[in-house]
PDB file of all heavy atoms in Angstrom:
ATOM      1  N   ALA A   1     110.005  92.408  69.989  1.00 96.00           N
ATOM      2  CA  ALA A   1     109.884  93.481  68.968  1.00 96.00           C
ATOM      3  C   ALA A   1     110.754  94.655  69.255  1.00 96.00           C
ATOM      4  O   ALA A   1     110.865  95.583  68.447  1.00 96.00           O
ATOM      5  CB  ALA A   1     108.457  93.918  68.759  1.00 96.00           C
ATOM      6  N   GLY A   2     111.377  94.651  70.426  1.00 96.00           N
ATOM      7  CA  GLY A   2     112.233  95.768  70.831  1.00 96.00           C
ATOM      8  C   GLY A   2     111.659  96.757  71.711  1.00 96.00           C
ATOM      9  O   GLY A   2     112.318  97.855  72.059  1.00 96.00           O
ATOM     10  N   ILE A   3     110.415  96.498  72.124  1.00 97.00           N
ATOM     11  CA  ILE A   3     109.718  97.549  73.034  1.00 97.00           C
ATOM     12  C   ILE A   3     110.292  97.419  74.401  1.00 97.00           C
ATOM     13  O   ILE A   3     110.395  96.339  74.956  1.00 97.00           O
ATOM     14  CB  ILE A   3     108.220  97.246  73.032  1.00 97.00           C
ATOM     15  CG1 ILE A   3     107.653  97.560  71.606  1.00 97.00           C
ATOM     16  CG2 ILE A   3     107.551  98.101  74.061  1.00 97.00           C
ATOM     17  CD1 ILE A   3     106.209  97.086  71.398  1.00 97.00           C
ATOM     18  N   ARG A   4     110.688  98.577  75.004  1.00 97.00           N
ATOM     19  CA  ARG A   4     111.276  98.568  76.297  1.00 97.00           C
ATOM     20  C   ARG A   4     110.624  99.527  77.272  1.00 97.00           C
ATOM     21  O   ARG A   4     111.102  99.719  78.368  1.00 97.00           O
ATOM     22  CB  ARG A   4     112.816  98.937  76.187  1.00 97.00           C
ATOM     23  CG  ARG A   4     113.634  97.886  75.411  1.00 97.00           C
ATOM     24  CD  ARG A   4     113.720  96.577  76.150  1.00 97.00           C
ATOM     25  NE  ARG A   4     114.546  95.558  75.500  1.00 97.00           N
ATOM     26  CZ  ARG A   4     114.097  94.731  74.599  1.00 97.00           C
ATOM     27  NH1 ARG A   4     112.797  94.734  74.269  1.00 97.00           N
ATOM     28  NH2 ARG A   4     114.852  93.815  74.008  1.00 97.00           N
ATOM     29  N   TYR A   5     109.582 100.211  76.857  1.00 97.00           N
ATOM     30  CA  TYR A   5     108.815 101.094  77.786  1.00 97.00           C
ATOM     31  C   TYR A   5     107.427 100.489  77.957  1.00 97.00           C
ATOM     32  O   TYR A   5     106.758 100.144  77.027  1.00 97.00           O
ATOM     33  CB  TYR A   5     108.678 102.513  77.179  1.00 97.00           C
ATOM     34  CG  TYR A   5     107.689 103.315  77.964  1.00 97.00           C
ATOM     35  CD1 TYR A   5     107.716 103.462  79.347  1.00 97.00           C
ATOM     36  CD2 TYR A   5     106.684 104.026  77.283  1.00 97.00           C
ATOM     37  CE1 TYR A   5     106.749 104.215  80.002  1.00 97.00           C
ATOM     38  CE2 TYR A   5     105.725 104.823  77.951  1.00 97.00           C
ATOM     39  CZ  TYR A   5     105.846 104.870  79.353  1.00 97.00           C
ATOM     40  OH  TYR A   5     104.866 105.652  80.045  1.00 97.00           O
ATOM     41  N   PHE A   6     107.044 100.310  79.240  1.00 98.00           N
ATOM     42  CA  PHE A   6     105.810  99.680  79.621  1.00 98.00           C
ATOM     43  C   PHE A   6     105.019 100.577  80.618  1.00 98.00           C
ATOM     44  O   PHE A   6     105.604 101.046  81.603  1.00 98.00           O
ATOM     45  CB  PHE A   6     106.027  98.306  80.254  1.00 98.00           C
ATOM     46  CG  PHE A   6     106.761  97.329  79.387  1.00 98.00           C
ATOM     47  CD1 PHE A   6     108.153  97.298  79.415  1.00 98.00           C
ATOM     48  CD2 PHE A   6     106.123  96.561  78.477  1.00 98.00           C
ATOM     49  CE1 PHE A   6     108.860  96.403  78.602  1.00 98.00           C
ATOM     50  CE2 PHE A   6     106.785  95.696  77.623  1.00 98.00           C
ATOM     51  CZ  PHE A   6     108.158  95.604  77.748  1.00 98.00           C
ATOM     52  N   ASP A   7     103.769 100.886  80.321  1.00 98.00           N
ATOM     53  CA  ASP A   7     102.962 101.732  81.158  1.00 98.00           C
ATOM     54  C   ASP A   7     101.895 100.888  81.829  1.00 98.00           C
ATOM     55  O   ASP A   7     101.190 100.072  81.171  1.00 98.00           O
ATOM     56  CB  ASP A   7     102.307 102.875  80.277  1.00 98.00           C
ATOM     57  CG  ASP A   7     101.383 103.671  81.163  1.00 98.00           C
ATOM     58  OD1 ASP A   7     101.868 104.446  82.067  1.00 98.00           O
ATOM     59  OD2 ASP A   7     100.189 103.626  80.889  1.00 98.00           O
ATOM     60  N   THR A   8     101.680 101.141  83.148  1.00 98.00           N
ATOM     61  CA  THR A   8     100.710 100.362  83.852  1.00 98.00           C
ATOM     62  C   THR A   8     100.005 101.354  84.892  1.00 98.00           C
ATOM     63  O   THR A   8     100.313 102.485  84.900  1.00 98.00           O
ATOM     64  CB  THR A   8     101.311  99.118  84.484  1.00 98.00           C
ATOM     65  OG1 THR A   8     100.277  98.297  85.091  1.00 98.00           O
ATOM     66  CG2 THR A   8     102.308  99.458  85.510  1.00 98.00           C
ATOM     67  N   ALA A   9      99.148 100.705  85.733  1.00 97.00           N
ATOM     68  CA  ALA A   9      98.493 101.480  86.835  1.00 97.00           C
ATOM     69  C   ALA A   9      97.752 100.536  87.722  1.00 97.00           C
ATOM     70  O   ALA A   9      97.279  99.497  87.236  1.00 97.00           O
ATOM     71  CB  ALA A   9      97.514 102.516  86.176  1.00 97.00           C
ATOM     72  N   PRO A  10      97.521 100.901  88.965  1.00 96.00           N
ATOM     73  CA  PRO A  10      96.691 100.107  89.833  1.00 96.00           C
ATOM     74  C   PRO A  10      95.263  99.945  89.231  1.00 96.00           C
ATOM     75  O   PRO A  10      94.586  98.938  89.436  1.00 96.00           O
ATOM     76  CB  PRO A  10      96.595 100.934  91.157  1.00 96.00           C
ATOM     77  CG  PRO A  10      97.898 101.682  91.148  1.00 96.00           C
ATOM     78  CD  PRO A  10      98.114 102.001  89.671  1.00 96.00           C
ATOM     79  N   HIS A  11      94.809 100.962  88.571  1.00 93.00           N
ATOM     80  CA  HIS A  11      93.441 101.031  87.986  1.00 93.00           C
ATOM     81  C   HIS A  11      93.177  99.847  87.019  1.00 93.00           C
ATOM     82  O   HIS A  11      92.066  99.347  86.925  1.00 93.00           O
ATOM     83  CB  HIS A  11      93.264 102.405  87.267  1.00 93.00           C
ATOM     84  CG  HIS A  11      91.872 102.593  86.729  1.00 93.00           C
ATOM     85  ND1 HIS A  11      90.725 102.169  87.298  1.00 93.00           N
ATOM     86  CD2 HIS A  11      91.516 103.247  85.536  1.00 93.00           C
ATOM     87  CE1 HIS A  11      89.638 102.505  86.567  1.00 93.00           C
ATOM     88  NE2 HIS A  11      90.158 103.170  85.484  1.00 93.00           N
ATOM     89  N   TYR A  12      94.247  99.499  86.282  1.00 92.00           N
ATOM     90  CA  TYR A  12      94.053  98.476  85.222  1.00 92.00           C
ATOM     91  C   TYR A  12      93.996  97.095  85.758  1.00 92.00           C
ATOM     92  O   TYR A  12      94.953  96.528  86.274  1.00 92.00           O
ATOM     93  CB  TYR A  12      95.207  98.585  84.200  1.00 92.00           C
ATOM     94  CG  TYR A  12      95.490 100.045  83.647  1.00 92.00           C
ATOM     95  CD1 TYR A  12      96.746 100.411  83.289  1.00 92.00           C
ATOM     96  CD2 TYR A  12      94.399 100.874  83.519  1.00 92.00           C
ATOM     97  CE1 TYR A  12      96.937 101.686  82.775  1.00 92.00           C
ATOM     98  CE2 TYR A  12      94.590 102.162  83.057  1.00 92.00           C
ATOM     99  CZ  TYR A  12      95.881 102.568  82.625  1.00 92.00           C
ATOM    100  OH  TYR A  12      96.081 103.860  82.188  1.00 92.00           O
ATOM    101  N   GLY A  13      92.780  96.527  85.651  1.00 90.00           N
ATOM    102  CA  GLY A  13      92.575  95.204  86.201  1.00 90.00           C
ATOM    103  C   GLY A  13      92.568  95.133  87.692  1.00 90.00           C
ATOM    104  O   GLY A  13      92.839  94.030  88.215  1.00 90.00           O
ATOM    105  N   ALA A  14      92.418  96.288  88.401  1.00 90.00           N
ATOM    106  CA  ALA A  14      92.520  96.234  89.857  1.00 90.00           C
ATOM    107  C   ALA A  14      93.719  95.573  90.337  1.00 90.00           C
ATOM    108  O   ALA A  14      93.726  94.733  91.225  1.00 90.00           O
ATOM    109  CB  ALA A  14      91.226  95.598  90.423  1.00 90.00           C
ATOM    110  N   GLY A  15      94.848  96.002  89.738  1.00 93.00           N
ATOM    111  CA  GLY A  15      96.085  95.508  90.214  1.00 93.00           C
ATOM    112  C   GLY A  15      96.726  94.366  89.328  1.00 93.00           C
ATOM    113  O   GLY A  15      97.920  94.094  89.435  1.00 93.00           O
ATOM    114  N   LEU A  16      95.834  93.731  88.577  1.00 94.00           N
ATOM    115  CA  LEU A  16      96.329  92.652  87.755  1.00 94.00           C
ATOM    116  C   LEU A  16      97.399  93.064  86.727  1.00 94.00           C
ATOM    117  O   LEU A  16      98.371  92.304  86.490  1.00 94.00           O
ATOM    118  CB  LEU A  16      95.163  91.983  86.947  1.00 94.00           C
ATOM    119  CG  LEU A  16      94.369  90.879  87.600  1.00 94.00           C
ATOM    120  CD1 LEU A  16      93.218  90.452  86.679  1.00 94.00           C
ATOM    121  CD2 LEU A  16      95.250  89.700  87.954  1.00 94.00           C
ATOM    122  N   ALA A  17      97.255  94.254  86.136  1.00 95.00           N
ATOM    123  CA  ALA A  17      98.237  94.685  85.108  1.00 95.00           C
ATOM    124  C   ALA A  17      99.618  94.808  85.735  1.00 95.00           C
ATOM    125  O   ALA A  17     100.605  94.360  85.159  1.00 95.00           O
ATOM    126  CB  ALA A  17      97.777  95.982  84.507  1.00 95.00           C
ATOM    127  N   GLU A  18      99.655  95.417  87.004  1.00 97.00           N
ATOM    128  CA  GLU A  18     100.965  95.559  87.623  1.00 97.00           C
ATOM    129  C   GLU A  18     101.581  94.230  87.945  1.00 97.00           C
ATOM    130  O   GLU A  18     102.749  94.017  87.799  1.00 97.00           O
ATOM    131  CB  GLU A  18     100.814  96.461  88.866  1.00 97.00           C
ATOM    132  CG  GLU A  18     100.559  97.871  88.543  1.00 97.00           C
ATOM    133  CD  GLU A  18     100.449  98.739  89.762  1.00 97.00           C
ATOM    134  OE1 GLU A  18      99.894  98.203  90.853  1.00 97.00           O
ATOM    135  OE2 GLU A  18     100.849  99.910  89.711  1.00 97.00           O
ATOM    136  N   ARG A  19     100.773  93.304  88.445  1.00 96.00           N
ATOM    137  CA  ARG A  19     101.281  91.966  88.855  1.00 96.00           C
ATOM    138  C   ARG A  19     101.826  91.197  87.627  1.00 96.00           C
ATOM    139  O   ARG A  19     102.935  90.624  87.600  1.00 96.00           O
ATOM    140  CB  ARG A  19     100.212  91.169  89.540  1.00 96.00           C
ATOM    141  CG  ARG A  19      99.966  91.612  90.946  1.00 96.00           C
ATOM    142  CD  ARG A  19      99.362  90.550  91.828  1.00 96.00           C
ATOM    143  NE  ARG A  19      98.049  90.169  91.380  1.00 96.00           N
ATOM    144  CZ  ARG A  19      96.929  90.823  91.740  1.00 96.00           C
ATOM    145  NH1 ARG A  19      97.024  91.830  92.583  1.00 96.00           N
ATOM    146  NH2 ARG A  19      95.755  90.421  91.355  1.00 96.00           N
ATOM    147  N   ARG A  20     101.010  91.199  86.518  1.00 96.00           N
ATOM    148  CA  ARG A  20     101.466  90.471  85.386  1.00 96.00           C
ATOM    149  C   ARG A  20     102.645  91.097  84.675  1.00 96.00           C
ATOM    150  O   ARG A  20     103.551  90.296  84.216  1.00 96.00           O
ATOM    151  CB  ARG A  20     100.263  90.365  84.358  1.00 96.00           C
ATOM    152  CG  ARG A  20      99.149  89.424  84.902  1.00 96.00           C
ATOM    153  CD  ARG A  20      97.924  89.445  84.065  1.00 96.00           C
ATOM    154  NE  ARG A  20      96.942  88.436  84.527  1.00 96.00           N
ATOM    155  CZ  ARG A  20      95.721  88.360  84.081  1.00 96.00           C
ATOM    156  NH1 ARG A  20      95.253  89.205  83.140  1.00 96.00           N
ATOM    157  NH2 ARG A  20      94.943  87.419  84.498  1.00 96.00           N
ATOM    158  N   LEU A  21     102.714  92.388  84.627  1.00 97.00           N
ATOM    159  CA  LEU A  21     103.875  93.089  84.102  1.00 97.00           C
ATOM    160  C   LEU A  21     105.101  92.745  84.917  1.00 97.00           C
ATOM    161  O   LEU A  21     106.203  92.401  84.434  1.00 97.00           O
ATOM    162  CB  LEU A  21     103.649  94.538  83.972  1.00 97.00           C
ATOM    163  CG  LEU A  21     104.891  95.377  83.539  1.00 97.00           C
ATOM    164  CD1 LEU A  21     105.239  94.975  82.093  1.00 97.00           C
ATOM    165  CD2 LEU A  21     104.544  96.857  83.573  1.00 97.00           C
ATOM    166  N   GLY A  22     104.958  92.876  86.254  1.00 97.00           N
ATOM    167  CA  GLY A  22     106.038  92.550  87.141  1.00 97.00           C
ATOM    168  C   GLY A  22     106.537  91.082  87.028  1.00 97.00           C
ATOM    169  O   GLY A  22     107.768  90.835  87.070  1.00 97.00           O
ATOM    170  N   ASP A  23     105.583  90.171  86.946  1.00 96.00           N
ATOM    171  CA  ASP A  23     105.986  88.749  86.797  1.00 96.00           C
ATOM    172  C   ASP A  23     106.850  88.588  85.500  1.00 96.00           C
ATOM    173  O   ASP A  23     107.871  87.873  85.516  1.00 96.00           O
ATOM    174  CB  ASP A  23     104.704  87.863  86.644  1.00 96.00           C
ATOM    175  CG  ASP A  23     103.986  87.741  88.010  1.00 96.00           C
ATOM    176  OD1 ASP A  23     104.598  88.054  89.053  1.00 96.00           O
ATOM    177  OD2 ASP A  23     102.798  87.308  87.966  1.00 96.00           O
ATOM    178  N   PHE A  24     106.475  89.265  84.447  1.00 97.00           N
ATOM    179  CA  PHE A  24     107.175  89.121  83.191  1.00 97.00           C
ATOM    180  C   PHE A  24     108.584  89.713  83.304  1.00 97.00           C
ATOM    181  O   PHE A  24     109.572  89.082  82.903  1.00 97.00           O
ATOM    182  CB  PHE A  24     106.410  89.789  82.068  1.00 97.00           C
ATOM    183  CG  PHE A  24     107.182  89.827  80.758  1.00 97.00           C
ATOM    184  CD1 PHE A  24     107.248  88.648  79.966  1.00 97.00           C
ATOM    185  CD2 PHE A  24     107.798  90.932  80.372  1.00 97.00           C
ATOM    186  CE1 PHE A  24     107.928  88.649  78.787  1.00 97.00           C
ATOM    187  CE2 PHE A  24     108.525  90.921  79.165  1.00 97.00           C
ATOM    188  CZ  PHE A  24     108.559  89.841  78.324  1.00 97.00           C
ATOM    189  N   LEU A  25     108.680  90.908  83.847  1.00 97.00           N
ATOM    190  CA  LEU A  25     109.934  91.647  83.831  1.00 97.00           C
ATOM    191  C   LEU A  25     110.921  91.011  84.886  1.00 97.00           C
ATOM    192  O   LEU A  25     112.090  90.896  84.617  1.00 97.00           O
ATOM    193  CB  LEU A  25     109.691  93.103  84.144  1.00 97.00           C
ATOM    194  CG  LEU A  25     108.988  93.891  83.043  1.00 97.00           C
ATOM    195  CD1 LEU A  25     108.696  95.293  83.488  1.00 97.00           C
ATOM    196  CD2 LEU A  25     109.775  93.922  81.765  1.00 97.00           C
ATOM    197  N   THR A  26     110.425  90.655  86.051  1.00 94.00           N
ATOM    198  CA  THR A  26     111.302  90.205  87.098  1.00 94.00           C
ATOM    199  C   THR A  26     111.537  88.680  87.083  1.00 94.00           C
ATOM    200  O   THR A  26     112.548  88.161  87.409  1.00 94.00           O
ATOM    201  CB  THR A  26     110.798  90.571  88.495  1.00 94.00           C
ATOM    202  OG1 THR A  26     109.536  89.932  88.682  1.00 94.00           O
ATOM    203  CG2 THR A  26     110.594  92.106  88.605  1.00 94.00           C
ATOM    204  N   GLY A  27     110.537  87.967  86.554  1.00 88.00           N
ATOM    205  CA  GLY A  27     110.653  86.544  86.559  1.00 88.00           C
ATOM    206  C   GLY A  27     111.599  85.911  85.517  1.00 88.00           C
ATOM    207  O   GLY A  27     112.092  84.784  85.655  1.00 88.00           O
ATOM    208  N   SER A  28     111.973  86.755  84.576  1.00 80.00           N
ATOM    209  CA  SER A  28     112.890  86.286  83.504  1.00 80.00           C
ATOM    210  C   SER A  28     114.267  86.783  83.687  1.00 80.00           C
ATOM    211  O   SER A  28     115.157  86.488  82.897  1.00 80.00           O
ATOM    212  CB  SER A  28     112.394  86.813  82.167  1.00 80.00           C
ATOM    213  OG  SER A  28     112.313  88.213  82.237  1.00 80.00           O
ATOM    214  N   GLY A  29     114.560  87.546  84.773  1.00 83.00           N
ATOM    215  CA  GLY A  29     115.923  88.002  85.065  1.00 83.00           C
ATOM    216  C   GLY A  29     116.401  89.083  84.082  1.00 83.00           C
ATOM    217  O   GLY A  29     117.608  89.233  83.943  1.00 83.00           O
ATOM    218  N   ARG A  30     115.499  89.779  83.494  1.00 91.00           N
ATOM    219  CA  ARG A  30     115.915  90.822  82.556  1.00 91.00           C
ATOM    220  C   ARG A  30     116.604  91.985  83.362  1.00 91.00           C
ATOM    221  O   ARG A  30     116.000  92.417  84.322  1.00 91.00           O
ATOM    222  CB  ARG A  30     114.740  91.367  81.767  1.00 91.00           C
ATOM    223  CG  ARG A  30     114.175  90.374  80.747  1.00 91.00           C
ATOM    224  CD  ARG A  30     112.961  90.919  80.022  1.00 91.00           C
ATOM    225  NE  ARG A  30     112.589  90.001  78.981  1.00 91.00           N
ATOM    226  CZ  ARG A  30     111.749  88.938  79.182  1.00 91.00           C
ATOM    227  NH1 ARG A  30     111.302  88.700  80.391  1.00 91.00           N
ATOM    228  NH2 ARG A  30     111.463  88.103  78.161  1.00 91.00           N
ATOM    229  N   PRO A  31     117.683  92.493  82.915  1.00 92.00           N
ATOM    230  CA  PRO A  31     118.379  93.533  83.660  1.00 92.00           C
ATOM    231  C   PRO A  31     117.498  94.804  83.813  1.00 92.00           C
ATOM    232  O   PRO A  31     116.896  95.224  82.771  1.00 92.00           O
ATOM    233  CB  PRO A  31     119.568  93.900  82.769  1.00 92.00           C
ATOM    234  CG  PRO A  31     119.854  92.557  82.030  1.00 92.00           C
ATOM    235  CD  PRO A  31     118.517  92.013  81.727  1.00 92.00           C
ATOM    236  N   ARG A  32     117.438  95.327  85.035  1.00 93.00           N
ATOM    237  CA  ARG A  32     116.538  96.466  85.222  1.00 93.00           C
ATOM    238  C   ARG A  32     116.972  97.680  84.397  1.00 93.00           C
ATOM    239  O   ARG A  32     116.085  98.511  84.146  1.00 93.00           O
ATOM    240  CB  ARG A  32     116.591  96.854  86.738  1.00 93.00           C
ATOM    241  CG  ARG A  32     115.675  97.975  87.177  1.00 93.00           C
ATOM    242  CD  ARG A  32     114.264  97.543  86.951  1.00 93.00           C
ATOM    243  NE  ARG A  32     113.284  98.605  87.295  1.00 93.00           N
ATOM    244  CZ  ARG A  32     112.923  99.604  86.480  1.00 93.00           C
ATOM    245  NH1 ARG A  32     113.472  99.677  85.170  1.00 93.00           N
ATOM    246  NH2 ARG A  32     112.066 100.523  86.845  1.00 93.00           N
ATOM    247  N   THR A  33     118.143  97.765  83.981  1.00 95.00           N
ATOM    248  CA  THR A  33     118.567  98.939  83.151  1.00 95.00           C
ATOM    249  C   THR A  33     118.119  98.848  81.744  1.00 95.00           C
ATOM    250  O   THR A  33     118.221  99.869  81.024  1.00 95.00           O
ATOM    251  CB  THR A  33     120.145  99.023  83.221  1.00 95.00           C
ATOM    252  OG1 THR A  33     120.638  97.807  82.738  1.00 95.00           O
ATOM    253  CG2 THR A  33     120.646  99.402  84.619  1.00 95.00           C
ATOM    254  N   GLU A  34     117.480  97.780  81.334  1.00 96.00           N
ATOM    255  CA  GLU A  34     117.176  97.564  79.936  1.00 96.00           C
ATOM    256  C   GLU A  34     115.727  98.076  79.683  1.00 96.00           C
ATOM    257  O   GLU A  34     115.285  98.046  78.458  1.00 96.00           O
ATOM    258  CB  GLU A  34     117.278  96.112  79.552  1.00 96.00           C
ATOM    259  CG  GLU A  34     118.739  95.681  79.391  1.00 96.00           C
ATOM    260  CD  GLU A  34     118.888  94.344  78.751  1.00 96.00           C
ATOM    261  OE1 GLU A  34     117.846  93.789  78.195  1.00 96.00           O
ATOM    262  OE2 GLU A  34     119.931  93.765  78.729  1.00 96.00           O
ATOM    263  N   TYR A  35     114.896  98.290  80.666  1.00 97.00           N
ATOM    264  CA  TYR A  35     113.525  98.700  80.422  1.00 97.00           C
ATOM    265  C   TYR A  35     113.076  99.894  81.343  1.00 97.00           C
ATOM    266  O   TYR A  35     113.753 100.114  82.333  1.00 97.00           O
ATOM    267  CB  TYR A  35     112.622  97.541  80.569  1.00 97.00           C
ATOM    268  CG  TYR A  35     112.653  96.841  81.894  1.00 97.00           C
ATOM    269  CD1 TYR A  35     111.876  97.293  82.991  1.00 97.00           C
ATOM    270  CD2 TYR A  35     113.429  95.700  82.107  1.00 97.00           C
ATOM    271  CE1 TYR A  35     111.984  96.644  84.274  1.00 97.00           C
ATOM    272  CE2 TYR A  35     113.485  95.059  83.351  1.00 97.00           C
ATOM    273  CZ  TYR A  35     112.764  95.546  84.409  1.00 97.00           C
ATOM    274  OH  TYR A  35     112.852  94.902  85.650  1.00 97.00           O
TER     275      TYR A  35
END
C-alpha cells in the first residue's frame, strides 16, 4: 500500500513485534534507505 514507516517496541509482544518486523524487512532484501 506504500507504507514505509513502521513503529515497534520491546514492550509489544515481549519482543515478538521487533522480531517479526525485522524478519519482514531484512528477510526480503528491501533496501534500508526505503523505509
Side-chain angles (χ1 to χ4, degrees):
I3 294 168
R4 295 294 183 270
Y5 168 50
F6 303 91
D7 175 66
T8 186
H11 182 38
Y12 307 150
L16 271 179
E18 290 182 322
R19 285 203 294 274
R20 290 173 173 172
L21 177 60
D23 287 345
F24 174 79
L25 293 174
T26 63
S28 57
R30 292 178 173 83
R32 183 63 181 85
T33 55
E34 289 191 10
Y35 56 84

